[in-house]
């Protein structure tokens, strides 16, 4: 039996809602078909945005959406995506399937989508193949409230008032698809480009995201920060608000990603172990950030994360369309618990990607839509958004899995908001139920608010014909006595318990 001790009196940092963010790229069927179908589509839409998808996204309280890429961002020229749709330039999406991009979804459409979802905006600028002037003018176009060439152009295109840009990425993966730069070169470019990402409205300051590392490339983190903070104004606030990190989980590696739906127990544990590696990465990069920013004013933005498996058989390899099983639910649960526990440094994260690409929360096929197991985890975990992390510790937890792929049987995180404590626990075993005794130190006569679970066979998933094979259900195996809870957590499950 495992024990979970929660010290409800020891409230830590706030869990930034943006940790529960998402990412949408011009890639495969994420934007086109998945989110945007155009005003003339037979699929019910509001100003071109799919109604079913937007409604579902509102239910998980998406806090922030990153766009337009990804690798696409560093070859995107924003002026191609404004003005009358008939005259918008067509381009080749060289990264993703070589398909024609007709630019019918551009800045105005993205802002409309965020408004409908009710989320913050995270725009990723083009540093790799774009100019400083282009980036600077995009910011002026979106945010300047007055008379200027770009603000006038925006008005001419039908949007009188400026929009709010909450976050702005100064390039994406500039160590790779964003220009193959060295950390020192990018650091210098970051210094220059970010200078012209102007804050036209001090009340609505844009937060700037500097391109951080891939996986465990600590050399990049060190090189970029060293370059950026060498002879830089001391008050770096407003100079760099976030440093990003990208990390994807494959079954065996980049060349052997593995099937999303057909896998062995061994594959399951490999994926669990690789998901847990996020904790090591955050600690490693944070330690370097601490040297430059000991007060933790710069947030880590893990703005691409998730499982990356082989595409579904018969689909375009450049579209990265994959199914999503209970294994994905576990990876979401594990990762979000890790982010919660590092909420002093991790201030934003974006799952890759929102619809029809990689570890999506939603899949679509024509007019049909399904919510994936990952969706249901985000729905349960939404209660952590804006909560205070509570001190919690598991003891008596065995390891499960074979040899080098052993992982802890359980992972957890706990937060408190408005007097309600939310506990999320994952059972990483493929076969064994685990009993957990929870003590809520500092509380008396606890009452259960709700308890929910996402579980199923390790490889079960939702299809368009059977969309509710895996869903959020009531979790019954919980009893409450005083400030103690007894739980029986089945294998392959993500559980949420809320008490007050
Ligand atoms: O999410 C798919 C791709 O993965 C993104 O375009 C890129 O940033 C990353 O390598």
């Amino acid at each position: 039996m495992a024990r979970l001790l929660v010290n409800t009196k020891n409230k830590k940092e706030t869990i930034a809602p943006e940790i529960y963010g998402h990412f949408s790229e011009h890639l495969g069927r994420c934007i086109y078909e998945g989110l945007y179908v155009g005003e003339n589509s037979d699929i019910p839409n509001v100003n071109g945005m799919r109604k079913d998808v937007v409604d579902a996204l509102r239910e998980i309280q998406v806090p922030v959406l990153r766009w337009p890429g990804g690798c696409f961002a560093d070859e995107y020229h924003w002026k191609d995506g404004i003005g009358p749709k008939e005259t918008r330039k067509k381009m080749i999406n060289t990264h993703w399937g070589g398909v024609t991009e007709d630019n019918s979804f551009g800045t105005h459409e993205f802002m409309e989508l965020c408004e409908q979802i009710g989320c913050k905006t995270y725009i990723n600028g083009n540093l790799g193949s774009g100019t400083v002037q282009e980036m600077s003018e995009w910011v002026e176009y979106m945010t300047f409230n007055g008379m200027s060439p770009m603000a006038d152009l925006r008005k001419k295109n039908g949007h009188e008032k400026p929009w709010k840009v909450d976050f702005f990425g100064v390039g994406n993966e500039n160590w790779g698809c964003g220009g193959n730069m060295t950390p020192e070169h990018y650091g210098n470019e970051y210094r220059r480009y970010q200078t012209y990402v102007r804050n036209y409205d001090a009340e609505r300051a844009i937060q700037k995201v500097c391109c951080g590392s891939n996986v465990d490339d600590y050399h990049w983190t060190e090189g970029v920060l060293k370059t950026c903070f060498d002879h830089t104004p001391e008050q770096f606030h407003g100079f760099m608000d976030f440093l990003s990190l990208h990390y994807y989980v494959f079954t065996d590696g980049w060349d052997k990603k593995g099937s999303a739906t057909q896998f062995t127990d061994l594959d399951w544990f490999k994926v669990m172990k690789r998901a847990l590696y996020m904790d090591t990465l955050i600690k490693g990069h944070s330690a370097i950030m601490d040297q430059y920013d000991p007060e933790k004013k710069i947030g880590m933005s893990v703005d691409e994360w998730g499982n990356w498996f082989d595409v579904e058989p018969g689909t375009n390899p450049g579209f990265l369309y994959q199914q999503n099983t209970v294994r994905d639910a576990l990876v979401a649960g594990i990762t979000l618990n890790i982010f919660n526990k590092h909420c002093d440094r991790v201030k934003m994260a974006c799952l890759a990607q929102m619809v029809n690409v990689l570890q999506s929360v939603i899949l679509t096929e024509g007019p049909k839509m399904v919510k994936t197991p990952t969706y249901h985890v985000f729905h349960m975990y939404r209660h952590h958004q804006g909560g205070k992390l509570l001190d919690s510790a598991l003891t008596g937890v065995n390891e499960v899995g074979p040899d080098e792929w052993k992982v802890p049987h359980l992972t957890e995180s706990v937060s408190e908001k408005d007097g309600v404590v939310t506990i999320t626990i994952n059972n990483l075993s493929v076969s064994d139920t685990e009993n957990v005794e929870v003590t809520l130190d500092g509380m008396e006569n606890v009452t259960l608010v709700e308890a929910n679970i996402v579980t199923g066979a390790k490889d079960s998933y939702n299809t368009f014909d059977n969309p509710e094979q895996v869903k959020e259900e009531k979790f019954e195996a919980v009893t409450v006595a005083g400030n103690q809870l007894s739980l029986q957590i089945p294998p392959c499950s993500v559980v949420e318990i809320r008490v007050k």
Side-chain angles (χ1 to χ4, degrees):
M1 189 184 64
R3 289 187 186 282
L4 172 62
L5 180 63
V6 181
N7 182 349
T8 63
K9 288 173 290 189
N10 189 359
K11 295 197 174 97
K12 300 176 137 190
E13 301 281 325
T14 299
I15 297 174
E18 290 77 23
I19 283 177
Y20 290 84
H22 292 262
F23 170 40
S24 60
E25 182 167 9
H26 287 241
L27 196 179
R29 298 185 302 112
C30 180
I31 298 287
Y32 300 110
E33 289 186 43
L35 290 159
Y36 178 76
V37 286
E39 295 83 344
N40 301 325
S41 171
D42 291 339
I43 298 173
N45 68 84
V46 177
N47 299 329
M49 313 299 155
R50 282 184 78 127
K51 208 177 158 326
D52 53 353
V53 171
V54 169
D55 287 348
L57 292 171
R58 288 182 69 86
E59 283 171 30
I60 55 171
Q61 290 172 13
V62 172
V64 61
L65 182 57
R66 175 172 180 246
W67 171 86
C71 293
F72 183 80
D74 279 287
E75 63 178 355
Y76 180 63
H77 300 284
W78 68 272
K79 283 186 185 162
D80 298 348
I82 56 170
K85 294 201 175 172
E86 330 65 84
T87 57
R88 291 190 191 176
K89 237 187 229 172
K90 295 190 172 43
M91 66 181 277
I92 307 166
N93 191 334
T94 53
H95 279 292
W96 307 119
V99 293
T100 302
E101 163 66 56
D102 71 1
N103 278 305
S104 54
F105 187 97
T107 305
H108 291 245
E109 289 75 20
F110 174 68
M111 293 297 184
E112 164 79 24
L113 174 64
C114 290
E115 235 167 84
Q116 290 191 23
I117 295 173
C119 68
K120 291 188 177 173
T121 56
Y122 175 0
I123 301 266
N124 210 114
N126 176 351
L127 179 142
S129 72
T131 61
V132 174
Q133 180 181 0
E134 185 181 0
M135 188 180 283
S136 159
E137 287 185 342
W138 198 6
V139 173
E140 181 188 325
Y141 184 87
M142 293 185 286
T143 62
F144 186 60
N145 190 15
M147 249 183 9
S148 82
M150 291 303 116
D152 292 350
L153 183 58
R154 183 191 69 235
K155 290 174 198 165
K156 187 171 151 236
N157 287 331
H159 210 272
E160 184 66 28
K161 288 266 160 246
W163 293 286
K164 170 106 171 73
V165 174
D166 295 287
F167 308 98
F168 193 91
V170 184
N172 167 73
E173 297 197 350
N174 303 92
W175 36 261
C177 65
N180 284 304
M181 298 176 187
T182 62
E184 292 74 23
H185 181 78
Y186 172 74
N188 280 319
E189 291 293 72
Y190 177 81
R191 294 171 66 126
R192 188 162 74 110
Y193 276 69
Q194 71 77 34
T195 307
Y196 303 95
V197 176
R198 301 278 188 213
N199 267 321
Y200 290 105
D201 182 350
E203 302 281 298
R204 293 148 58 99
I206 298 170
Q207 299 200 49
K208 296 170 195 167
V209 185
C210 175
C211 170
S213 141
N214 187 34
V215 196
D216 58 352
D217 186 354
Y218 300 116
H219 172 69
W220 177 272
T221 304
E222 175 67 46
V224 167
L225 290 180
K226 191 165 182 275
T227 309
C228 282
F229 291 104
D230 186 26
H231 301 106
T232 305
E234 267 165 21
Q235 82 290 26
F236 53 77
H237 219 46
F239 169 74
M240 184 190 295
D241 300 290
F242 287 89
L243 182 69
S244 69
L245 168 67
H246 290 181
Y247 175 53
Y248 287 100
V249 169
F250 316 113
T251 311
D252 282 298
W254 176 252
D255 297 333
K256 281 178 85 182
K257 299 189 179 75
S259 162
T261 54
Q262 287 173 8
F263 51 84
T264 61
D265 284 3
L266 176 62
D267 294 335
W268 165 281
F269 286 111
K270 285 181 179 176
V271 165
M272 295 300 124
K273 182 121 191 175
R274 294 191 199 283
L276 287 161
Y277 185 54
M278 181 67 88
D279 187 59
T280 306
L281 292 176
I282 293 171
K283 286 180 182 147
H285 291 289
S286 282
I288 300 170
M289 291 173 80
D290 284 350
Q291 292 167 27
Y292 295 88
D293 171 35
E295 290 173 38
K296 293 189 168 40
K297 288 188 174 164
I298 301 176
M300 187 184 291
S301 172
V302 191
D303 47 37
E304 288 189 32
W305 69 272
N307 287 333
W308 190 327
F309 297 128
D310 294 340
V311 297
E312 283 304 295
T315 64
N316 187 329
F319 281 14
L320 310 187
Y321 176 75
Q322 67 190 42
Q323 250 298 353
N324 194 295
T325 66
V326 164
R327 182 173 62 166
D328 293 84
L330 264 293
V331 168
I334 289 169
T335 309
L336 294 170
N337 277 344
I338 293 172
F339 291 160
N340 286 346
K341 291 211 165 201
H342 286 290
C343 65
D344 58 337
R345 180 59 90 182
V346 179
K347 301 285 182 190
M348 181 155 65
C350 304
L351 177 68
Q353 300 192 6
M354 190 174 237
V355 188
N356 291 333
V357 171
L358 302 178
Q359 190 177 346
S360 305
V361 287
I362 287 173
L363 301 176
T364 68
E365 188 181 83
K368 296 185 197 159
M369 178 199 95
V370 290
K371 297 171 177 172
T372 66
T374 300
Y375 175 95
H376 295 295
V377 172
F378 270 78
H379 187 259
M380 293 194 300
Y381 275 61
R382 76 192 188 286
H383 294 120
H384 283 305
Q385 289 189 28
K388 287 271 179 207
L389 181 73
L390 294 183
D391 201 13
S392 64
L394 278 164
T395 52
V397 176
N398 295 324
E399 288 194 314
V400 290
D403 312 319
E404 63 180 302
W405 301 107
K406 280 198 189 325
V407 293
H409 199 155
L410 305 172
T411 79
E412 49 71 42
S413 70
V414 188
S415 72
E416 186 270 340
K417 191 164 82 176
D418 302 330
V420 179
V421 172
T422 298
I423 304 169
T424 46
I425 309 189
N426 309 300
N427 183 339
L428 280 57
S429 168
V430 272
S431 50
D432 299 338
T433 296
E434 178 67 299
N435 297 326
V436 188
E437 291 294 314
V438 183
T439 303
L440 293 148
D441 201 18
M443 289 175 87
E444 290 169 22
N445 300 323
V446 165
T447 55
L448 192 63
V449 176
E450 61 179 315
N452 302 301
I453 185 166
V454 174
T455 191
K458 68 177 191 287
D459 51 1
S460 48
Y461 57 93
N462 297 331
T463 64
F464 297 101
D465 297 326
N466 187 5
E468 301 216 327
Q469 176 70 28
V470 185
K471 60 177 189 230
E472 185 180 330
E473 292 175 283
K474 283 227 158 328
F475 178 58
E476 308 283 2
V478 48
T479 54
V480 184
N483 70 349
Q484 309 272 325
L485 313 175
S486 300
L487 319 172
Q488 277 182 296
I489 304 187
C492 306
S493 63
V494 181
V495 171
E496 169 207 41
I497 295 126
R498 303 186 70 225
V499 294
K500 65 177 182 189

